[in-house]
Amino acid sequence: MLEWINRYEDRAWQTTTDGTVRYALIGLGWWTLDVALPAIESSDLGEVGVLVSSSHEKAERLAREHGVDAGVDYDEFHEGAASEAYDAVYVGTPNAFHLEYAETAARLDKAVLCEKPMEATVERAERLVETCESAGVPLMIAYRMHTEPAVQRARELISDGFLGEPVSVYGHNSQPLLEMIPDPDQWRLDPDRAGYGTSVMDLGIYSINTARYLLRREPRSVRSTMASEHEAFSDVPDQSASSLFLLEGDVEMVTMSSQHAQDDTHLKITGTEGQIDLRPAFHGECSLRLSRGDVSVTVEHGSFDAEREMREEFDYFADRLLGDGEIYPDGRHGLRDMAIIEAVHESAETGEEVDIDGI
Amino acid sequence: MLEWINRYEDRAWQTTTDGTVRYALIGLGWWTLDVALPAIESSDLGEVGVLVSSSHEKAERLAREHGVDAGVDYDEFHEGAASEAYDAVYVGTPNAFHLEYAETAARLDKAVLCEKPMEATVERAERLVETCESAGVPLMIAYRMHTEPAVQRARELISDGFLGEPVSVYGHNSQPLLEMIPDPDQWRLDPDRAGYGTSVMDLGIYSINTARYLLRREPRSVRSTMASEHEAFSDVPDQSASSLFLLEGDVEMVTMSSQHAQDDTHLKITGTEGQIDLRPAFHGECSLRLSRGDVSVTVEHGSFDAEREMREEFDYFADRLLGDGEIYPDGRHGLRDMAIIEAVHESAETGEEVDIDGI
């Protein structure tokens, strides 16, 4: 037990501790600057070489403020400016711009770490994957739950049979978006920049992807309902959304997401013999509750806030570039999430059950 | 706040403290003998007059053991034996036998407290309601959550606007039935005695009914999936079941029930401004967690185990018979649950969304 408690420092996925990956950060919103950038700076295998933003002045100013060597604007990036200063790009722009930066990165032979969801539509996500595959550059989708220690412990326990047979999954991700970002014109509410919608693309994807990661079972069909009542959500269908999935092996999964509700993140997997409960699940400080029969154990990693989760993710990505491990959340993995999200929207639109094809 | 903490002893529903209701208990399983009987004995307004069982000898023996005056068998009950010794019946038999005991009680002019679900099918439940209505005898369905203090506090907070606008409901009720009752021939697995199935009738009904009670919104449509894999569940469709409901006002509700899974009971209601979380929710010692913004409050009533919940329920019922309040969970209220459960099963069978009519 003592070994199990201490073990996370081992990073079971780690293959190397040598080398450095230098990043160009693209899309300088609060997440990139306040979470991703300090995460890279404190990581073992990463450093920030270039900041890329809408204007040269802004990029240079932010580079100076954050101690980064170079700042370039989007046009300069596409022209290959400062390309000697980075080995990989981190794409943190609104969803609908991921493809263009990945295309340039691939042309410049740079590895790509792309935020989730991959792009605005399945079609554009497919182009993104194919672009990286054709160019032979590594592509990873930034699912930070995969390197979250509570989630990794859950994954290991599930592999070891902790649940017995899995029976059902419940995923919930809600937040009061307009209180967090009080701007009705923000990109998450604009389908041209966000894609299919807002709450499933931005929040529901955590439940879907973490369940896939933990159970290694893919959703095979979905029935969904969505609603947008607040005027700020008039252009997107899913201010809130609920879905009923069937996963491989007839595991039932229900998920709920809302951009206009009390904050809550929760993933619960119930099996014939045990239950695994992550709550909070998706926003840092993930707490893991394990129940089997009448015994319950709670595990908390107090130090894992969102920044440290990102640090783990960047070191995992760098490890894959520098060492010899495979990238688990690769482009094909992320593409399947896009197909699942498209099916969720199609079901809500048609009222019908939608089969989810393998991609 | 001090008043709010102390207040449950007030029993806001109470209209009288005078009088006694004498019960005949019908169906002497563990729940009736170990929970309902001591609950009545410790209640303010109730006492047990007669035990009714399959054999005269068993009924008399159990009556002696439990200090009850009379014990009669089912035939004797139907013939009116010992009818001067009780004012009301508590029907705790398998679902498919509720109607016949209610019919006799109505003929004998006795009030009826009937366990949930009301009967095996909507049709039989309708006959039960009509029988009691025609005879003019009071009928209550035994939803003990309605007098559970945590649930009552939740109800009051929701009335006062704690949630803002309700957005979504999650209900979960699972247990390892075969570990609790290791008998593959038990009535809960026999559709002739249980009705439409096992996990929705026995467990899912808690999520459905408590959500109805708390939100005062009725389910309008449902999409469901069910599975029975274990051989003991071969005669019922729903060893486990998951459903996606739309309630009045487009509130989304997802529910999950299983008779072959780790024990867990949970009801969570998320609103635009707050969240109410009951966990454990349905098996006594209900714990209430209130969240609004970044403040959370947890309320526990340590003394409310299942027996005390039943005591409250019996006193509520007796209060309605002796005083002048109306019965909230009356026959029509219970009948709607039956219609909802039938729709859940129909949706799982057909794969289609099923509209739920008012009854």
Side-chain angles (χ1 to χ4, degrees):
Chain A
M1 181 66 182
L2 192 60
E3 189 197 358
W4 187 82
I5 288 175
N6 286 335
R7 196 172 31 178
Y8 190 71
E9 294 305 322
D10 290 353
R11 294 180 171 185
W13 44 262
Q14 195 151 26
T15 66
T16 182
T17 55
D18 287 335
T20 301
V21 171
R22 299 165 306 150
Y23 292 88
L25 304 189
I26 305 170
L28 305 182
W30 68 272
W31 180 265
T32 301
L33 290 174
D34 297 344
V35 184
L37 189 144
I40 294 171
E41 296 295 1
S42 69
S43 73
D44 295 343
L45 302 173
E47 61 186 45
V48 181
V50 184
L51 297 185
V52 185
S53 187
S54 51
S55 84
H56 186 85
E57 290 65 32
K58 180 183 172 193
E60 284 211 319
R61 175 175 55 79
L62 290 170
R64 265 195 315 277
E65 285 173 19
H66 289 88
V68 174
D69 286 344
V72 304
D73 67 25
Y74 291 142
D75 288 341
E76 292 166 336
F77 170 77
H78 286 306
E79 291 158 8
S83 66
E84 73 292 347
Y86 60 93
D87 312 300
V89 300
Y90 168 70
V91 184
T93 65
N95 304 334
F97 305 116
H98 292 180
L99 174 58
E100 63 188 77
Y101 296 104
E103 282 174 338
T104 295
R107 184 163 48 74
L108 297 169
D109 198 29
K110 307 297 184 186
V112 178
L113 177 57
C114 177
E115 264 303 337
K116 66 197 170 308
M118 273 178 80
E119 246 289 350
T121 65
V122 170
E123 292 68 30
R124 291 179 62 85
E126 276 178 329
R127 282 172 55 194
L128 198 161
V129 173
E130 286 160 7
T131 296
C132 292
E133 286 180 350
S134 301
V137 300
L139 167 63
M140 176 170 136
I141 313 305
Y143 293 108
R144 67 190 149 79
M145 289 295 108
H146 296 198
T147 42
E148 169 33 75
V151 174
Q152 293 211 333
R153 288 186 197 272
R155 169 68 199 137
E156 186 183 81
L157 284 160
I158 291 169
S159 301
D160 290 348
F162 179 87
L163 294 172
E165 285 300 309
V167 173
S168 71
V169 182
Y170 161 65
H172 179 113
N173 199 348
S174 61
Q175 63 183 16
L177 179 66
L178 297 173
E179 287 174 31
M180 299 160 64
I181 307 173
D183 173 8
D185 297 322
Q186 60 185 293
W187 70 263
R188 285 186 175 81
L189 302 177
D190 172 9
D192 289 341
R193 289 175 286 171
Y196 298 115
T198 187
S199 78
V200 183
M201 289 286 269
D202 194 38
L203 303 174
I205 192 172
Y206 282 86
S207 300
I208 293 165
N209 186 265
T210 311
R212 291 178 58 209
Y213 174 80
L214 286 172
L215 289 176
R216 306 291 154 112
R217 293 176 191 246
E218 299 297 344
R220 287 305 184 203
S221 67
V222 65
R223 288 176 272 182
S224 292
T225 189
M226 295 178 175
S228 286
E229 305 214 335
H230 190 289
E231 59 179 4
F233 292 85
S234 54
D235 293 335
V236 285
D238 59 334
Q239 174 185 323
S240 67
S242 293
S243 299
L244 170 58
F245 294 90
L246 263 187
L247 309 189
E248 289 170 316
D250 280 342
V251 174
E252 300 161 6
M253 176 164 83
V254 291
T255 63
M256 196 274 152
S257 59
S258 177
Q259 292 279 27
H260 189 58
Q262 171 74 15
D263 181 88
D264 182 31
T265 74
H266 195 169
L267 186 72
K268 185 202 283 189
I269 306 182
T270 306
T272 50
E273 294 171 33
Q275 187 178 65
I276 285 179
D277 208 325
L278 295 157
R279 189 184 192 194
F282 307 131
H283 291 167
E285 296 173 6
C286 183
S287 171
L288 173 65
R289 185 163 169 270
L290 309 166
S291 305
R292 213 172 139 90
D294 59 2
V295 178
S296 289
V297 174
T298 300
V299 184
E300 290 171 328
H301 301 82
S303 57
F304 272 80
D305 55 9
E307 181 185 321
R308 185 147 175 212
E309 285 179 359
M310 287 300 279
R311 184 176 111 191
E312 293 302 297
E313 179 183 306
F314 280 111
D315 268 341
Y316 173 88
F317 178 62
D319 183 273
R320 266 41 192 168
L321 300 186
L322 300 166
D324 52 11
E326 295 206 343
I327 294 173
Y328 181 79
D330 62 8
R332 298 279 158 191
H333 180 87
L335 190 51
R336 190 181 286 265
D337 272 358
M338 292 299 303
I340 295 165
I341 292 170
E342 185 187 42
V344 168
H345 279 270
E346 184 187 334
S347 175
E349 269 171 40
T350 62
E352 302 292 325
E353 181 167 14
V354 175
D355 290 333
I356 300 166
D357 300 326
I359 282 194
Chain B
M1 181 66 182
L2 191 61
E3 187 196 359
W4 188 82
I5 288 175
N6 287 334
R7 196 173 29 178
Y8 191 70
E9 295 305 322
D10 291 353
R11 293 180 172 186
W13 45 262
Q14 194 151 27
T15 65
T16 182
T17 55
D18 286 335
T20 302
V21 171
R22 300 164 306 150
Y23 292 89
L25 305 189
I26 305 169
L28 304 182
W30 67 272
W31 181 265
T32 301
L33 290 175
D34 297 343
V35 184
L37 188 145
I40 295 170
E41 295 295 1
S42 69
S43 73
D44 295 342
L45 301 173
E47 60 186 45
V48 180
V50 184
L51 298 185
V52 186
S53 188
S54 50
S55 84
H56 187 83
E57 289 66 32
K58 180 183 172 193
E60 283 212 319
R61 175 175 56 78
L62 289 169
R64 265 197 314 277
E65 285 174 18
H66 289 88
V68 175
D69 285 343
V72 304
D73 67 26
Y74 291 142
D75 288 341
E76 292 166 337
F77 170 78
H78 287 306
E79 290 157 9
S83 65
E84 73 292 347
Y86 61 93
D87 312 300
V89 299
Y90 169 70
V91 184
T93 65
N95 304 334
F97 306 116
H98 292 180
L99 174 58
E100 62 188 78
Y101 296 104
E103 283 175 339
T104 295
R107 184 163 46 76
L108 296 170
D109 197 29
K110 307 297 183 185
V112 178
L113 177 56
C114 178
E115 265 302 337
K116 68 199 166 309
M118 274 178 81
E119 246 288 351
T121 65
V122 169
E123 292 68 29
R124 290 179 62 86
E126 277 177 330
R127 282 172 55 194
L128 198 161
V129 173
E130 286 160 7
T131 296
C132 291
E133 286 180 350
S134 300
V137 300
L139 168 63
M140 175 170 136
I141 313 304
Y143 294 107
R144 66 190 151 79
M145 290 296 107
H146 296 199
T147 42
E148 170 32 75
V151 175
Q152 293 211 333
R153 287 185 197 273
R155 169 67 199 139
E156 186 183 81
L157 285 160
I158 291 169
S159 301
D160 290 348
F162 179 87
L163 293 172
E165 285 300 308
V167 173
S168 71
V169 182
Y170 161 65
H172 179 113
N173 199 349
S174 61
Q175 62 184 17
L177 179 65
L178 297 173
E179 287 174 31
M180 299 160 64
I181 306 173
D183 172 8
D185 297 323
Q186 60 185 291
W187 70 263
R188 285 186 175 81
L189 302 178
D190 172 10
D192 289 341
R193 289 175 285 172
Y196 298 115
T198 187
S199 78
V200 182
M201 289 286 269
D202 194 38
L203 303 174
I205 191 172
Y206 281 86
S207 300
I208 293 165
N209 186 264
T210 311
R212 291 178 58 209
Y213 174 80
L214 286 173
L215 289 176
R216 306 291 155 111
R217 292 175 191 247
E218 299 296 344
R220 287 306 183 202
S221 67
V222 66
R223 289 175 273 182
S224 293
T225 189
M226 294 178 176
S228 286
E229 305 214 335
H230 189 289
E231 60 179 3
F233 293 85
S234 55
D235 293 337
V236 285
D238 60 333
Q239 174 185 321
S240 67
S242 293
S243 299
L244 170 57
F245 294 90
L246 263 187
L247 308 189
E248 290 170 315
D250 280 343
V251 174
E252 301 161 7
M253 177 165 82
V254 292
T255 61
M256 197 275 152
S257 58
S258 177
Q259 292 279 25
H260 189 58
Q262 171 73 15
D263 181 88
D264 182 32
T265 75
H266 194 169
L267 186 73
K268 185 202 284 190
I269 306 181
T270 306
T272 50
E273 293 170 34
Q275 186 179 66
I276 286 180
D277 209 325
L278 295 157
R279 188 184 193 194
F282 306 132
H283 291 167
E285 294 172 8
C286 184
S287 172
L288 173 65
R289 185 163 169 269
L290 308 167
S291 304
R292 214 174 138 90
D294 58 2
V295 178
S296 289
V297 175
T298 299
V299 185
E300 290 172 328
H301 301 82
S303 57
F304 272 79
D305 56 9
E307 181 185 321
R308 185 148 175 212
E309 286 178 359
M310 287 298 280
R311 183 176 112 192
E312 293 301 297
E313 179 184 306
F314 280 112
D315 268 341
Y316 173 88
F317 178 62
D319 183 272
R320 267 38 194 169
L321 300 186
L322 298 166
D324 51 13
E326 296 207 344
I327 294 173
Y328 181 78
D330 62 7
R332 298 280 157 192
H333 179 86
L335 189 52
R336 191 181 285 265
D337 272 358
M338 292 299 303
I340 295 165
I341 293 169
E342 184 187 42
V344 168
H345 279 270
E346 185 187 334
S347 175
E349 270 171 40
T350 62
E352 301 292 325
E353 181 167 14
V354 175
D355 290 334
I356 300 165
D357 300 325
I359 282 194

